[in-house]
Amino acid sequence: MKKLIHILNDLVKKDIIEKYAIGGAVAVIFYTETINTKDVDVFVATQLTRSKSGIVHLGSIYEYLKKAGCKMEGQYFIIEGIPVDFIAAYDGLTMEAVDNAVDRLYAKIKVKVFRPEYVAAIALQTGRNRDLRKIDLLMTETKLDEKLLKDILKRHGLLEKWRRYINE
């Protein structure tokens, strides 16, 4: 994972992306016990070009990674044997999550990671069973900032869904 973090930080230094943050299950790992996941979700914010159909092109990131010797398997780039999924921040919630990512350390290297409150909000928004398990882990194994979480949920239209989820 060290190589991945170096690559991510280099993508920012070279202005290929504006910023990034690790989300999904790997973000949860920074706050809880290890969970099983098949890939690393890296959310990126950049001046991406969109086709007329609205599809976002991550071509400059892919070109950089290919030059760095990374291979693709399906939708993933393989970096140090780890499948990495680059995801353009796709809505207000994910963009805000990238904007408010925090610095964490992995092997003494700074890496941007979603705050746990954003991981929970995005997991709730997505709503898949595997995402809802992330919420359960975060609620039991880390101290969520409840005021921040409720503010995020309210601003992104998720507060009622949250109340139903936690049976409030």
Side-chain angles (χ1 to χ4, degrees):
M1 186 133 134
K2 288 197 297 188
K3 182 177 180 182
L4 168 60
I5 296 167
H6 284 299
I7 285 173
L8 294 173
N9 291 330
D10 201 40
L11 284 166
V12 172
K13 283 181 197 166
K14 293 185 182 215
D15 288 324
I16 296 171
I17 60 175
E18 292 172 38
K19 47 189 134 184
Y20 74 89
I22 292 177
V26 174
V28 173
I29 293 169
F30 279 89
Y31 302 103
T32 69
E33 293 293 321
T34 303
I35 62 174
N36 204 8
T37 185
K38 67 179 181 191
D39 66 343
V40 177
D41 294 334
V42 178
F43 289 77
V44 297
T46 186
Q47 297 300 321
L48 301 168
T49 57
R50 290 185 184 268
S51 69
K52 289 180 182 177
S53 65
I55 295 172
V56 176
H57 297 282
L58 299 171
S60 56
I61 296 169
Y62 291 175
E63 288 174 31
Y64 174 90
L65 293 171
K66 285 183 180 181
K67 287 179 186 173
C70 302
K71 305 284 184 222
M72 282 199 82
E73 287 183 14
Q75 74 187 56
Y76 305 105
F77 267 98
I78 307 303
I79 302 173
E80 288 183 310
I82 301 168
V84 180
D85 193 4
F86 284 86
I87 304 165
Y90 52 84
D91 64 5
L93 177 57
T94 55
M95 181 56 82
E96 188 177 310
V98 172
D99 287 343
N100 291 288
V102 294
D103 288 329
R104 299 299 300 240
L105 288 178
Y106 180 87
K108 299 181 182 178
I109 309 166
K110 275 189 193 179
V111 60
K112 292 286 189 183
V113 179
F114 283 172
R115 290 182 55 100
E117 297 81 10
Y118 285 99
V119 175
I122 293 166
L124 182 70
Q125 180 186 56
T126 306
R128 299 173 300 189
N129 285 334
R130 65 180 180 220
D131 295 309
L132 298 176
R133 284 192 297 272
K134 294 172 196 168
I135 296 172
D136 294 338
L137 271 172
L138 290 167
M139 288 176 61
T140 59
E141 295 189 25
T142 193
K143 177 78 173 119
L144 292 171
D145 181 332
E146 289 185 38
K147 184 178 177 183
L148 173 61
L149 178 59
K150 286 198 175 176
D151 178 58
I152 294 165
L153 295 169
K154 184 178 180 182
R155 286 184 290 102
H156 294 282
L158 296 166
L159 194 53
E160 188 56 40
K161 189 174 184 181
W162 178 258
R163 287 183 176 137
R164 284 192 309 271
Y165 179 73
I166 62 170
N167 296 317
E168 197 176 82

